[in-house]
């Protein structure tokens, strides 16, 4: 099924990108729209553009992505869309879509910012930018029971295991590198649970959830794991095997999936 997607406010359409073969649907669109000079929202995995946005795309300055003929980028001359106007449709086979916000005046302090693209460095919770009534309405739909309703984008704690890790020269902003990503962080929905979230490389892609411990070497809180020479073991309820982690320096770790407990 397809569902209509509307503009969250009076916005300027800055760019529309399209790609083929990224999901199980034939074509995906990403719409970037500015609320002001520093604040830019985006919808990703849009399956169809509204007639108004089709016209904006047709009039845009479009080009193919260098080295990738399946990707097209169209820059626009700040065409305006009114609040509540249909921008396109989402759903189809994928079902979900992305709604995000970039605030250029704020920067996420990742331990290794060179790994990240512009969007990740400045991404914020979009619901924080609504008026109080709408913010409360949206947060009431999110099943998280603490003050950080959107979760935390940046969880890096330098010198510890907590945060994002990358295999070899992998980058956070490259979709082709997803299988080389690793995150040792708090779960986005359960604030008291930590997760070993892996894109692949040392084991199959997936998540290992556990309750962090403040002592010992089993399921130890990531923020307390340092380059101390110890090997730490992580086990998840209902999943076979264990994951071993050792920090060899403040910026490098060893990780391995093993069988057994």
């Amino acid at each position: 099924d397809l569902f209509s997607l509307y503009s969250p406010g009076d916005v300027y359409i800055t760019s529309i990108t399209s790609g083929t073969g990224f999901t199980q649907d034939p074509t995906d669109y990403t719409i970037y729209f500015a609320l002001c000079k520093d604040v830019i929202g985006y919808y990703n995995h849009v399956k169809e553009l509204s007639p108004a946005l089709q016209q904006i795309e047709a009039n845009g300055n479009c080009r193919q992505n260098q080295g990738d003929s399946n990707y097209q980028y169209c820059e626009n001359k700040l065409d305006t869309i009114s609040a509540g106007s249909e921008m396109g449709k989402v759903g189809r086979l994928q079902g979900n879509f992305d709604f995000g916000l970039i605030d250029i005046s704020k920067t996420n302090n990742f331990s290794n910012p060179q790994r990240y693209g512009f969007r990740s460095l400045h991404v914020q919770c979009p619901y924080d930018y609504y008026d109080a009534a709408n913010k409360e309405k949206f947060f009431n739909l999110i099943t998280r029971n603490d003050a950080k309703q959107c979760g935390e984008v940046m969880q890096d704690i330098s010198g510890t295991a907590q945060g994002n890790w990358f295999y070899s020269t992998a980058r956070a902003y490259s979709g082709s590198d997803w299988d080389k990503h690793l995150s040792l962080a708090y779960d986005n929905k359960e604030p008291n649970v930590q997760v070993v979230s892996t894109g692949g490389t040392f084991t199959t892609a997936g998540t290992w959830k556990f309750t962090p411990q403040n002592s010992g070497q089993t399921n130890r809180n990531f923020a307390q794991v340092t380059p101390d020479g110890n090997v730490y073991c992580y086990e998840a309820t209902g999943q076979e095997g264990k994951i071993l982690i050792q920090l060899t320096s403040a910026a490098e770790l060893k990780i391995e999936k093993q069988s057994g407990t």
Side-chain angles (χ1 to χ4, degrees), residues 13 16 31 49-58 81 86-88:
I13 304 298
I16 300 173
I31 305 167
L49 298 178
S50 68
L53 264 71
Q54 289 179 29
Q55 188 62 47
I56 291 173
E57 182 192 39
I81 293 290
E86 185 176 8
M87 299 179 78

Side-chain angles (χ1 to χ4, degrees), residues 32-203:
Y32 285 93
F33 45 89
L35 287 79
C36 60
K37 178 173 68 72
D38 288 336
V39 180
I40 303 156
Y42 61 89
Y43 290 138
N44 193 18
H45 300 303
V46 179
K47 303 305 179 181
E48 289 183 10
L49 298 178
S50 68
L53 264 71
Q54 289 179 29
Q55 188 62 47
I56 291 173
E57 182 192 39
N59 295 333
N61 177 25
C62 298
R63 62 182 184 272
Q64 297 294 126
N65 190 42
Q66 187 175 4
D68 188 353
S69 61
N70 295 323
Y71 185 87
Q72 178 177 266
Y73 174 81
C74 297
E75 194 172 41
N76 302 296
K77 299 178 180 178
L78 297 182
D79 301 270
T80 57
I81 293 290
S82 300
S85 300
E86 185 176 8
M87 299 179 78
K89 295 184 184 296
V90 295
R92 200 161 273 152
L93 293 177
Q94 182 178 3
N96 65 304
F97 71 99
D98 298 344
F99 173 35
L101 182 138
I102 302 162
D103 189 338
I104 299 170
S105 70
K106 300 177 180 179
T107 301
N108 295 314
N109 190 28
F110 291 105
S111 296
N112 192 351
Q114 292 78 17
R115 296 275 189 172
Y116 296 84
F118 179 82
R119 187 169 76 180
S120 294
L121 289 174
H122 302 287
V123 71
Q124 303 295 320
C125 174
Y127 304 117
D128 283 335
Y129 290 72
Y130 279 90
D131 60 82
N134 278 300
K135 179 178 177 179
E136 182 180 9
K137 178 182 177 181
F138 284 118
F139 278 161
N140 285 339
L141 299 173
I142 299 175
T143 55
R144 184 176 165 119
N145 58 2
D146 70 341
K148 298 175 181 177
Q149 286 280 50
C150 274
E152 295 179 89
V153 171
M154 204 298 294
Q155 297 192 38
D156 288 359
I157 300 179
S158 295
T160 76
Q162 183 167 314
N164 294 337
W165 297 84
F166 303 89
Y167 180 70
S168 186
T169 59
R171 300 155 295 164
Y173 56 87
S174 174
S176 62
D177 288 345
W178 286 342
D179 62 336
K180 302 178 183 68
H181 293 172
L182 170 70
S183 184
L184 308 178
Y186 281 95
D187 185 69
N188 63 319
K189 291 183 180 179
E190 300 176 79
N192 297 319
V193 171
Q194 288 189 337
V195 185
V196 178
S197 177
T198 175
T201 303
F202 76 94
T203 187

Side-chain angles (χ1 to χ4, degrees), residues 231-232 243-249 252-256:
V231 175
Y232 293 86
I243 290 176
L244 303 183
I245 294 175
Q246 181 185 40
L247 259 67
T248 54
S249 72
E252 189 173 61
L253 62 75
K254 292 181 177 181
I255 188 165
E256 181 180 3

Side-chain angles (χ1 to χ4, degrees), residues 4-18:
S4 293
L5 184 67
Y6 300 97
S7 173
D10 297 331
V11 297
Y12 303 92
I13 304 298
T14 61
S15 67
I16 300 173
T17 64
S18 60

